[in-house]
Amino acid sequence: MTYTDTDETATDESPAAPEEVEQTDSELGRHLLTARGFHWIYGTSGDPYALTLRAESDDPVVLARRIRESETPLWQSAAGAWVTGRHGVAAEVLADPRLSLRHADLPGPQRHVFSDAWSNPLLCHIVPLDRAFLHASGADHARWERSAAPVLGAAAADGHRKSAERVHQETADGLGAAFDLMADYSRPVATEAAAALLGVPDAQRTRFARACLALGVALDAALCPQPLAVTRRLTEAIEDVRALVGELVAARRAEPGDDLLSTVLSAGSADSAGSADSAGSRAQDALAVGVLTAAVGVEFTAGLINNALEALLAHPRQWALLGESPELAAGAVEETLRHAPPVRLESRIAAEDLTLAGQDIPAGAQVVVHVGAANRDPEAFLAPDHFDLTRPPGPGHLSLSGPHTALFGAFARLQAETAVRTLRERHPRLAPADGVQRRMRSPVLGGVLRCALTTSA
């Protein structure tokens, strides 16, 4: 196993990258097992956050409620993190610029070695995901979001609607009497939409889809150790998609188009405008946006589609109401983002000593928002456990408040709205054939393994 300790802002024009750090299977496996062991140890006391990280058989909704209903709005878990499930505190945390995805005193890869595991296990970055740009600074993420806005922003959604409808209708019409929602619909349409955004050539679509599938565990892997084989596939997929996107970026630099990568390349970087290395910086921004599209955009979108259909089919009156009023598709997706967010946990690191919700948080401490718990806070939402696609506007859910989810929020919304409208129109008698099976070790995404449906109940 090889992890690369290169600065994620390096470009071809940058100085030589630092030497790579290699881990054998034995070393990596021991690291993953150690982290897993601490989750189990802390969970034996009944700590709801530790049990959430274990992501085994406990009901995630019950654990979320326990996190939210703790005596203090922000409390320290036995696993070391400060945790909240209260909507007000969660919104404050997610908006605080003093909290970021990175350790301020760890400029290289966000990777911890358990040298003092008992006193300081550091369970906030289980494996380094810098090569996938998942642990970049807030300033980087903000710049990428600005650069990608002409293609990924809310104002651009209508321009993608016709192509989205075509892909969804073709996919829906190809479904048999029984199918798996994730494998046969949600992930294929999300992957196809992402590939189209990036301008992935037809000859590379299979390679891109394979990489996206392996990258689907990325957000979970940051907080919950995955099996060794899964971790190896993840890191290999990161390198493969970097190579693929890198090739596309080089081609767009030579011959720009109207795709996402060309848009980011033309947007430039405010930090390097007019400087000698501005072209290299723009290329690195395009690489980052492209890799994040594969690593986050696809799984986030597929998860939102799956969660929306699962919720609608579990509430037959809501499914019928959607059929009567197809324009409620947007409301169904918005309610899904609140009721069953495709990203449940947001982890941050304090860049300095600070006080939150009356608690003194030291620099370097981990602060975790349980988005799923906050989105069902009765202090913020009426009848929060009820799924209602006609829910009137309220204080707002927090499902698009993270840098990753904000970048792909409009893209995921469009795909999910198109999915629920298309499936309701094309297959009005859609029904569950069996219970939804979710991945173990998936506390962040609640990743779906299987969701069997029939088109003629």
Side-chain angles (χ1 to χ4, degrees):
M1 169 57 61
T2 299
Y3 285 140
T4 306
D5 278 356
T6 53
D7 186 331
E8 65 187 27
T9 61
T11 68
D12 293 339
E13 293 80 5
S14 301
E19 187 176 340
E20 292 184 349
V21 174
E22 295 186 4
Q23 283 187 305
T24 65
D25 284 350
S26 177
E27 291 169 336
L28 177 59
R30 184 166 60 250
H31 172 83
L32 296 171
L33 286 172
T34 299
R36 188 70 173 158
F38 277 105
H39 287 168
W40 277 93
I41 291 168
Y42 296 138
T44 57
S45 66
D47 184 295
Y49 178 63
L51 290 171
T52 297
L53 292 179
R54 280 178 20 174
E56 292 290 347
S57 57
D58 300 277
D59 186 335
V61 174
V62 172
L63 290 176
R65 184 182 303 118
R66 288 180 55 196
I67 287 173
R68 185 181 61 245
E69 294 176 353
S70 178
E71 291 184 8
T72 56
L74 181 68
W75 53 277
Q76 189 169 25
S77 163
W82 291 85
V83 186
T84 186
R86 307 280 183 93
H87 187 276
V89 178
E92 179 184 351
V93 168
L94 293 174
D96 196 320
R98 300 170 297 175
L99 295 162
S100 71
L101 299 172
R102 302 180 61 82
H103 288 273
D105 60 348
L106 186 61
Q110 302 294 285
R111 175 172 60 91
H112 304 303
V113 178
F114 297 143
S115 56
D116 57 344
W118 286 105
S119 61
N120 188 20
L122 291 173
L123 296 169
C124 44
H125 297 94
I126 301 299
V127 293
L129 295 169
D130 306 78
R131 297 283 289 173
F133 300 95
L134 290 175
H135 297 152
S137 69
D140 284 338
H141 279 286
R143 186 177 68 255
W144 298 334
E145 187 174 350
R146 289 194 304 271
S147 298
V151 174
L152 287 181
D158 282 342
H160 302 297
R161 197 170 299 278
K162 285 188 177 180
S163 61
E165 290 173 349
R166 175 184 56 79
V167 171
H168 283 263
Q169 289 168 5
E170 289 176 357
T171 306
D173 290 344
L175 298 172
F179 67 98
D180 182 85
L181 180 61
M182 178 59 90
D184 299 326
Y185 189 92
S186 302
R187 185 170 283 117
V189 295
T191 304
E192 175 62 23
L197 280 179
L198 299 177
V200 178
D202 290 344
Q204 299 287 357
R205 293 289 174 103
T206 299
R207 174 187 175 188
F208 180 74
R210 185 169 56 246
C212 289
L213 181 61
L215 288 165
V217 302
L219 291 177
D220 284 313
L223 295 180
C224 180
Q226 304 298 299
L228 177 60
V230 174
T231 304
R232 291 194 63 173
R233 285 196 295 270
L234 169 61
T235 54
E236 290 165 0
I238 290 172
E239 296 309 313
D240 190 35
V241 83
R242 281 180 67 99
L244 174 56
V245 174
E247 294 165 6
L248 296 176
V249 170
R252 300 302 182 274
R253 291 177 74 176
E255 188 176 345
D258 58 358
D259 57 277
L260 176 58
L261 299 179
S262 297
T263 299
V264 176
L265 283 168
S266 64
S269 168
D271 296 335
S272 60
S275 66
D277 65 346
S278 60
S281 296
R282 291 195 297 270
Q284 188 68 7
D285 285 350
L287 176 65
V289 172
V291 171
L292 286 169
T293 300
V296 177
V298 169
E299 198 67 17
F300 178 58
T301 301
L304 180 57
I305 293 171
N306 250 72
N307 290 0
L309 266 296
E310 182 184 349
L312 284 165
L313 295 178
H315 298 82
R317 178 65 192 117
Q318 302 293 306
W319 181 247
L321 188 59
L322 178 64
E324 297 165 5
S325 304
E327 69 275 8
L328 290 175
V333 171
E334 210 62 26
E335 179 69 341
T336 301
L337 284 166
R338 185 199 68 81
H339 185 268
V343 174
R344 302 170 177 176
L345 301 176
E346 289 281 356
S347 176
R348 300 289 186 272
I349 306 298
E352 60 186 68
D353 294 342
L354 50 88
T355 300
L356 290 170
Q359 302 288 347
D360 293 328
I361 310 298
Q366 182 187 17
V367 181
V368 173
V369 168
H370 196 304
V371 176
N375 281 353
R376 295 197 188 193
D377 189 343
E379 294 295 320
F381 303 97
L382 182 66
D385 291 328
H386 178 59
F387 182 86
D388 180 6
L389 55 81
T390 64
R391 182 178 294 275
H397 59 72
L398 301 176
S399 296
L400 303 179
S401 299
H404 306 131
T405 54
L407 180 61
F408 298 105
F411 171 73
R413 273 180 168 135
L414 170 63
Q415 298 300 324
E417 287 175 22
T418 307
V420 298
R421 187 183 294 111
T422 301
L423 288 173
R424 182 62 182 83
E425 175 188 323
R426 292 299 212 264
H427 301 292
R429 300 177 68 186
L430 199 64
D434 200 354
V436 177
Q437 299 176 21
R438 297 189 180 273
R439 282 194 292 110
M440 298 177 74
R441 306 195 191 192
S442 185
V444 178
L445 299 169
V448 173
L449 275 178
R450 180 171 172 75
C451 181
L453 302 179
T454 61
T455 57
S456 54

